[in-house]
Amino acid sequence: MTCPTIAPQPAGTDLHLAAELRHELAAWAELGHPHETCGLLVGRAGEGRVEVVRVAQAKNLNRERASDRYELDPADFLAADRAARADGLEIVGFWHSHPDCPARPSTRDLEAAWEGYSYLIVGVTAAGETDFHSWRLYGDRFREEKVLPEQARPTAAALRFENPLKEERAS
């Protein structure tokens, strides 16, 4: 089966991500289920290589369709960007979950994407993470990036922002 948002060619870039950060993203996606969770990837990008050294969780401002849409809080974007720049890093991409759906970009993901960034998607069900893929936009299609494990570094860290949808569900 083909997906209209995905090109058959690989991206030509590798996303390097420490196992600890991958586990953090999966945990955030699981905690947010059945809503989409989202955030930013912070690190360094070079020719054919994206190194993620920090992940940040952001608020999903989309309350009407939180089960299949996300709108990353601009204040969380700015906070993560300021922190990244202070450490000599940059925003290298975005991540979000696909509750009860595969980790493949949707048409909505395509419409909102910018070239030059990694888009990591975590497929998640009530039982936990199901798949984990990263994508890069080239023209009007995504190409899949290889996600490679990176050795843990002292600079690897996760930033968490409160998830307002989780609080509402608990009440």
Side-chain angles (χ1 to χ4, degrees):
M1 177 176 162
T2 61
C3 182
T5 62
I6 299 173
Q9 307 88 348
T13 55
D14 297 334
L15 183 83
H16 295 261
L17 182 72
E20 295 83 14
L21 297 179
R22 178 184 172 138
H23 293 307
E24 190 70 29
L25 293 174
W28 287 338
E30 291 168 19
L31 283 171
H33 185 273
H35 300 293
E36 285 202 13
T37 53
C38 60
L40 300 110
L41 306 173
V42 177
R44 297 174 191 88
E47 193 63 37
R49 177 184 171 93
V50 176
E51 179 187 8
V52 178
V53 298
R54 186 162 59 221
V55 294
Q57 185 178 34
K59 292 177 194 86
N60 179 357
L61 296 180
N62 189 327
R63 294 175 181 270
E64 293 176 8
R65 295 203 51 192
S67 64
D68 67 350
R69 299 274 191 280
Y70 77 95
E71 180 183 344
L72 194 141
D73 186 335
D76 292 343
F77 178 95
L78 291 173
D81 188 49
R82 276 197 250 7
R85 290 173 189 262
D87 293 335
L89 302 170
E90 61 184 314
I91 302 295
V92 295
F94 304 90
W95 70 269
H96 72 282
S97 63
H98 274 189
D100 304 311
C101 291
R104 298 170 65 84
S106 66
T107 303
R108 173 70 184 114
D109 293 335
L110 180 64
E111 292 167 355
W114 299 329
E115 286 193 30
Y117 291 94
S118 296
Y119 288 87
L120 197 147
I121 303 175
V122 182
V124 64
T125 66
E129 174 196 335
T130 58
D131 54 340
F132 197 94
H133 297 278
S134 187
W135 308 88
R136 215 162 173 84
L137 183 64
Y138 290 87
D140 64 350
R141 297 272 192 274
F142 281 102
R143 294 182 185 178
E144 187 168 8
E145 292 182 300
K146 288 182 194 171
V147 179
L148 301 174
E150 186 73 17
Q151 292 297 327
R153 298 191 175 169
T155 58
L159 298 175
R160 187 169 201 281
F161 299 99
E162 291 305 312
N163 182 347
L165 292 173
K166 196 67 173 174
E167 293 167 10
E168 285 178 6
R169 216 173 57 180
S171 49

